[in-house]
Amino acid sequence: MPILEKGVIPVVAGFLGKTRDGKITTLGRGGSDTTAFVLAEALNADEIVLVTDADGILSGDPKIVSNPERLKEIDVNTLVGLADSGAKFIHSKALKYKPRNINVRVINHSHGNLSKEGTVITGALAAEIRRGNRTSVSSG
């Protein structure tokens, strides 16, 4: 926040991190999205915008489905199901860090405008909480 308060816009390489012993490493698939989600929550952002080469989340894989439509909105729980079944947009590992109260908008970089429509990802994943030998599921 001190950097932002000075009017400086930091550029963060979202796919890089450090191990517990301080070695620089890559975060792997979904690392940049994970970083965006964590930073947005820490900064109490209004919105997360993921810029990609697609117009948003589509109703089907364009390599398989002819003329898939852009979804205007999708719940993160539905999207993680798609990711787990092979959809290659957002890795389910990253989606578990999506903040509950911050929507994610997926837009195409070709528009050159961050206010363009895309797909809005809402909600947060249900979290498993372990208590003793029992596992219960919480909505957040």
Side-chain angles (χ1 to χ4, degrees), residues 106-127:
V106 180
I107 64 168
N108 193 317
H109 66 81
S110 67
H111 298 299
N113 182 342
L114 292 178
S115 64
K116 285 292 188 180
E117 286 187 17
T119 299
V120 176
I121 304 169
T122 61
L125 291 179

Side-chain angles (χ1 to χ4, degrees), residues 38-91:
V38 171
L39 280 175
E41 185 160 44
L43 296 172
N44 197 28
D46 296 325
E47 176 182 46
I48 300 164
V49 180
L50 299 181
V51 181
T52 184
D53 62 353
D55 286 329
I57 309 294
L58 303 179
S59 60
D61 184 340
K63 295 175 186 170
I64 300 169
V65 177
S66 61
N67 300 320
E69 295 184 24
R70 176 183 56 86
L71 302 175
K72 290 186 179 197
E73 186 174 296
I74 189 168
D75 179 78
V76 71
N77 290 287
T78 303
L79 186 57
V80 81
L82 293 173
D84 285 345
S85 67
K88 293 193 167 102
F89 180 69
I90 298 178
H91 198 283

